[in-house]
Amino acid sequence: MDSTIFAFFFVVFLSTTRAFDPCPSLKQKSDLSDLSIIHIYGKCSPFDSPKPTSSWTTTILDMATKDPQRLTYLSSLVATKPASSVPIGPGQVINIGNYVARVKIGTPGQLMFMVLDTSADTAWVPCSGCTGCSSTVFSQTTSTTYGSLDCTTSECVQAHGLSCPTSGSTIGNCLFNQSYGGDSSFLATLSRDSLQLANDIIPSYVFGCIGNISGKSIPPQGLLGLGRGSMSLLSQSSSLYSGVFSYCLPSFRSYYFSGSLRLGPNGQPKTIKYTPLLKNPHRPSLYYVNFTGISVGQVKVEIPPELLEFNLNTGAGTIIDSGTVITRFVPDAYNKIKEVFRNQTQGPFSSLGAFDTCFSVTHEDVTPRVTLHFMGLDIVLPMENTLIHSSAGTLACLAMASTPNNVNSGLNVIANLQQQNLRILFDVPNSRVGITHEICN
């Protein structure tokens, strides 16, 4: 996948200057655990890739074409053993990444822009000598704190794709293969080194050092997992951040303004409403919530509870995910939502890419508000979280869709387009998720 598509936003440090600065400085401010988020196409982008010539709608439509693959991936996250015993996260990463964090790896620190993914655990980066990698790689040979893990270490246990000698006296490195989407894969060595976020340093962080890539869909500077598994950033930094983080994603149309990723309990909103955070042993890395329904205007959509309910036996339910672009519901639920929405919106209706409920913008001013209902929490979506416009500006579309027909997991996904300009707070120790409106700038 083209690198200008896989990464829609990136993270940079907040500026300490008080004057207006459209491009936040890379200097850290006093709150060392507060990072800024800005999209990769902005003028502040550190990448040399050309800015897009197509409209934002075309860009979002291109990104959304990868959602079915991500839904397939999310439905495949079934643990084969307790998560605490798996150093390599269950399942496999997929070829979509919407946010990247500005982090440093090694000593001295080497700057990398790594994809953030709330549904993945294991971190991995391309390393020196890698075959098939991009030009930006981590030079493990120049880091004084780097070390590879061999097959005798406690972290190197049997997991998907793991490769260790089963006989002989030679102790080899802990290697693993991992597929990425439908057309890419990589070979990595399980390793340790320092990971720096702002001025916070996590020593001996365990990650995969990639030595070989097949295909072109691998994020060029790696991935940082924000999931709930034992190998995720949340678990490996528990003593530093206490299992708490939040993010605020800016509007996908934002050009200069950025949101923020906040790590740790300090600096989190004091007045925020919570809904229970649930955990499913079939997919232990995912952030399940008790989603109870949706309203369109004043009408509560009549969705059979079993289409939304959390199910320990099957892994069905609703998750909050940073890597899926548009919110997806199982077909029977989405069809009911679409029907109620169309009944309150003036047609005729047409399709545009992943969106099947598009109408003339001349009727947009009477579009009903959409409200997401969680246990103990209701969120009225801003209109920019509900509609997306065609590049010609003549159509407005309901920015939601059905899960693909080949995904039978019963999994609903609250995606990043619906999360923009909301503060999403994950408090794992207290099993809760907080959501509140915030201008993410």
Side-chain angles (χ1 to χ4, degrees):
M1 181 173 69
D2 189 276
S3 62
T4 62
I5 294 176
F6 91 86
F8 185 42
F9 298 99
F10 67 86
V11 178
V12 294
F13 296 120
L14 291 177
S15 172
T16 57
T17 180
R18 295 185 179 181
F20 173 73
D21 181 1
C23 294
S25 168
L26 296 183
K27 296 179 181 178
Q28 295 85 4
K29 70 173 190 175
S30 56
D31 183 357
L32 300 179
S33 297
D34 194 347
L35 307 177
S36 295
I37 300 174
I38 190 169
H39 61 74
I40 195 171
Y41 294 139
K43 291 183 178 179
C44 306
S45 171
F47 293 101
D48 295 329
S49 57
K51 303 302 182 283
T53 57
S54 59
S55 69
W56 283 118
T57 300
T58 301
T59 300
I60 292 299
L61 287 172
D62 289 340
M63 293 170 61
T65 61
K66 296 296 182 180
D67 278 355
Q69 291 174 271
R70 184 170 184 86
L71 268 293
T72 301
Y73 155 66
L74 293 173
S75 68
S76 72
L77 293 179
V78 179
T80 57
K81 58 179 67 179
S84 60
S85 66
V86 182
I88 305 303
Q92 53 198 25
V93 293
I94 45 80
N95 59 342
I96 187 170
N98 296 78
Y99 310 93
V100 298
R102 182 185 186 274
V103 305
K104 290 184 177 180
I105 303 177
T107 307
Q110 300 174 38
L111 180 63
M112 302 291 286
F113 290 86
M114 300 175 67
V115 171
L116 296 178
D117 194 335
T118 56
S119 296
D121 294 329
T122 310
W124 40 264
V125 295
C127 292
S128 293
C130 175
T131 302
C133 288
S134 66
S135 58
T136 302
V137 296
F138 168 59
S139 177
Q140 70 274 28
T141 58
T142 62
S143 173
T144 60
T145 49
Y146 173 82
S148 58
L149 277 66
D150 62 44
C151 292
T152 65
T153 57
S154 59
E155 291 85 357
C156 190
V157 298
Q158 287 188 346
H160 178 74
L162 194 68
S163 176
C164 269
T166 57
S167 62
S169 59
T170 301
I171 299 176
N173 289 334
C174 185
L175 305 176
F176 63 96
N177 289 292
Q178 196 161 85
S179 62
Y180 191 83
D183 61 353
S184 301
S185 63
F186 64 82
L187 174 66
T189 301
L190 200 63
S191 307
R192 292 184 189 273
D193 211 333
S194 294
L195 176 70
Q196 183 176 343
L197 299 169
N199 280 352
D200 296 338
I201 296 179
I202 306 171
S204 300
Y205 197 87
V206 178
F207 63 97
C209 189
I210 299 178
N212 182 275
I213 285 179
S214 175
K216 298 181 180 180
S217 297
I218 304 294
Q221 297 187 34
L223 178 143
L224 187 65
L226 291 174
R228 305 170 68 178
S230 61
M231 294 297 292
S232 71
L233 172 65
L234 202 64
S235 296
Q236 294 197 55
S237 64
S238 58
S239 62
L240 186 61
Y241 301 129
S242 303
V244 177
F245 74 95
S246 73
Y247 58 69
C248 189
L249 305 180
S251 167
F252 72 91
R253 292 182 292 181
S254 173
Y255 201 74
Y256 292 113
F257 299 106
S258 64
S260 61
L261 169 69
R262 294 179 185 170
L263 301 166
N266 294 332
Q268 302 296 352
K270 301 300 181 183
T271 56
I272 188 171
K273 291 185 177 181
Y274 291 94
T275 188
L277 174 62
L278 311 175
K279 187 170 184 177
N280 195 309
H282 289 277
R283 301 185 179 100
S285 297
L286 305 185
Y287 293 98
Y288 281 86
V289 289
N290 196 333
F291 181 70
T292 58
I294 187 170
S295 291
V296 178
Q298 300 300 313
V299 179
K300 179 73 175 291
V301 182
E302 295 183 1
I303 301 175
E306 61 270 17
L307 298 179
L308 305 177
E309 287 177 347
F310 178 68
N311 191 314
L312 278 171
N313 296 321
T314 64
T318 303
I319 66 168
I320 295 179
D321 178 50
S322 68
T324 307
V325 178
I326 57 175
T327 289
R328 305 273 180 156
F329 294 102
V330 295
D332 289 346
Y334 173 71
N335 288 336
K336 291 182 178 297
I337 295 169
K338 177 177 67 176
E339 179 183 3
V340 174
F341 185 88
R342 287 188 173 192
N343 288 341
Q344 298 183 48
T345 308
Q346 187 171 340
F349 299 101
S350 59
S351 297
L352 180 66
F355 310 112
D356 63 4
T357 301
C358 302
F359 52 93
S360 172
V361 293
T362 58
H363 308 312
E364 184 178 347
D365 57 342
V366 294
T367 301
R369 290 280 183 175
V370 171
T371 303
L372 303 180
H373 300 291
F374 304 88
M375 177 180 286
L377 172 64
D378 294 332
I379 292 293
V380 180
L381 295 181
M383 196 56 66
E384 69 172 350
N385 295 27
T386 303
L387 300 179
I388 188 168
H389 295 81
S390 64
S391 58
T394 57
L395 292 178
C397 305
L398 175 62
M400 298 179 184
S402 172
T403 56
N405 292 329
N406 62 338
V407 175
N408 58 4
S409 65
L411 194 64
N412 305 292
V413 181
I414 307 299
N416 61 54
L417 191 69
Q418 279 64 49
Q419 295 177 48
Q420 59 186 346
N421 286 316
L422 297 176
R423 171 69 60 181
I424 314 290
L425 194 161
F426 300 88
D427 184 352
V428 174
N430 292 304
S431 299
R432 59 184 186 173
V433 176
I435 308 176
T436 188
H437 291 275
E438 180 177 323
I439 302 301
C440 304
N441 59 0

